[in-house]
Amino acid sequence: MTETSSRRTDTRTRIVETAARLLQERGPAAVTTRAVAEAAGVQAPAIYRLFGDKDGLLEAVAEHTMATYVSAKAAVVAAASSGDVDPLEDLRDGWAGQIGFGLAHPALFHLMSDPARAAQSPALKAGREVLRARVRRLAETGRLRVSEERAAELIHAAGVGTVTALLTTPPADRDPGLADAMLESVLAQILTETTELKDDAWVAVTLRAAAPQLEVLSAAERSLLVEWLDRVIAANP
């Protein structure tokens, strides 16, 4: 990296971090090019050169903040996978962390809840992969009774809905047990009560989680097995 490129990167990082602080402390209305430029110690034209406009700057702020958070979550899941952490407890911890993050960063949450923005966000896509990794660990232990995709979507939707409901309620009126109750409701839909054999879908979901690691089969055989299992799962919603 040249000295010029390095300075440009440092300037961009300083601007993003400054804008993130203003967003957190004062909300989106405070993130003006003038306010950010003054706080970051740069000229306003630098922001336009680097981000195009205020929306471009907000996109960068959202990605930076979410990417940092998701990276930390991914490290936690990786550590849990290689240790003795119970998959269900790991999921509960992840849920609590996600709800807490949304409540602590309301402006960022509203930005990233925009469907158009969310569909294009690398950080949010990475976050969904972290959730899928947690769900897969449950499937591998035989505790999942719906497809991994459906379980992840239910958890994600419940999380977004919970944070939205809490943020639109005055803090003094919020139900402190809402988040836990919502998670338990979702878990009741996606988990088996025991790991005893239940039905075809339970068997398929459990084997589906292990199929990609069955090295005794060829890649083509694993692909075919996954196709068959997905068909069984789809037939037993």
Side-chain angles (χ1 to χ4, degrees):
M1 180 181 292
T2 66
E3 183 176 348
T4 300
S5 297
S6 179
R7 284 201 303 270
R8 182 183 177 90
T9 300
D10 290 343
T11 299
R12 189 181 193 282
T13 300
R14 186 166 73 255
I15 291 171
V16 168
E17 291 178 346
T18 299
R21 176 172 53 79
L22 290 174
L23 179 67
Q24 174 66 15
E25 294 175 354
R26 306 179 196 173
V31 187
T32 64
T33 52
R34 179 178 179 180
V36 173
E38 290 180 354
V42 301
Q43 298 297 315
I47 294 179
Y48 291 106
R49 286 198 304 270
L50 291 169
F51 305 101
D53 54 20
K54 177 182 175 179
D55 284 343
L57 176 58
L58 287 173
E59 290 277 1
V61 168
E63 280 299 309
H64 169 77
T65 307
M66 282 300 300
T68 301
Y69 174 65
V70 169
S71 177
K73 285 204 305 179
V76 170
V77 174
S81 299
S82 60
D84 297 324
V85 179
D86 178 75
L88 183 54
E89 290 308 308
D90 181 43
L91 179 63
R92 292 184 189 279
D93 289 343
W95 169 271
Q98 189 71 19
I99 300 300
F101 182 84
L103 295 180
H105 301 82
L108 177 64
F109 174 80
H110 289 306
L111 275 176
M112 301 305 280
S113 295
D114 177 0
R117 192 187 306 271
Q120 302 299 321
S121 168
L124 284 183
K125 290 178 182 177
R128 298 288 284 274
E129 288 304 315
V130 171
L131 173 57
R132 290 189 182 98
R134 283 188 157 115
V135 169
R136 171 150 294 186
R137 293 189 65 223
L138 282 171
E140 289 172 343
T141 60
R143 291 190 237 186
L144 209 60
R145 64 184 179 92
V146 298
S147 71
E148 294 175 38
E149 186 64 26
R150 182 171 178 78
E153 289 299 321
L154 284 169
I155 295 168
H156 172 71
V160 172
T162 298
V163 175
T164 299
L166 290 172
L167 287 178
T168 53
T169 304
D173 298 332
R174 291 174 185 172
D175 178 355
L178 179 64
D180 288 342
M182 182 63 76
L183 177 60
E184 293 307 314
S185 178
V186 173
L187 293 179
Q189 295 185 56
I190 68 174
L191 298 181
T192 59
E193 295 183 3
T194 71
T195 56
E196 295 177 0
L197 184 62
K198 295 293 183 181
D199 51 30
D200 291 346
W202 180 88
V203 174
V205 168
T206 305
L207 183 55
R208 172 67 172 77
Q213 285 76 49
L214 296 177
E215 296 184 358
V216 68
L217 302 178
S218 68
E221 289 170 335
R222 289 196 296 271
S223 178
L224 184 58
L225 176 60
V226 166
E227 179 183 342
W228 288 340
L229 293 171
D230 283 343
R231 194 181 306 168
V232 173
I233 294 169
N236 294 271

